[in-house]
Amino acid sequence: MAPSIWQIMIVILIGVIWAVPLWKMLPRTGLPKQLALLMFLPVVGTIALVVLIWIMAYRDWPSNEQVEVAK
């Protein structure tokens, strides 16, 4: 059974909701912004999101470097 147009639209909407903020955040951590496009793949996007959140949580961000210099 093929997915309906509504199911396809929901997948695209969820992909946009996650991809746009990631597109902006990934370059700040030194990762390629194209990784955000993985959010449009239902299963791969979910796994990639979890992995990217963990990577971004432990990477140095530019604001962290500025705070350390100020100390």
Side-chain angles (χ1 to χ4, degrees), residues 36-57:
L37 298 176
L38 291 173
M39 297 306 114
F40 290 103
L41 303 173
V43 175
V44 176
T46 304
I47 295 168
L49 180 63
V50 171
V51 171
L52 287 173
I53 288 174
W54 277 90
I55 290 172
M56 289 190 313

Side-chain angles (χ1 to χ4, degrees), residues 5-66:
I5 188 70
W6 294 107
Q7 292 169 329
I8 294 170
M9 288 175 53
I10 289 172
V11 168
I12 291 172
L13 178 66
I14 291 171
V16 168
I17 288 171
W18 283 106
V20 171
L22 280 174
W23 189 270
K24 296 283 194 173
M25 285 191 295
L26 288 172
R28 295 180 187 177
T29 61
L31 296 169
K33 60 185 174 184
Q34 289 81 8
L35 287 174
L37 298 176
L38 291 173
M39 297 306 114
F40 290 103
L41 303 173
V43 175
V44 176
T46 304
I47 295 168
L49 180 63
V50 171
V51 171
L52 287 173
I53 288 174
W54 277 90
I55 290 172
M56 289 190 313
Y58 289 101
R59 273 230 151 139
D60 289 331
W61 288 55
S63 63
N64 290 346
E65 294 169 5
Q66 294 171 357

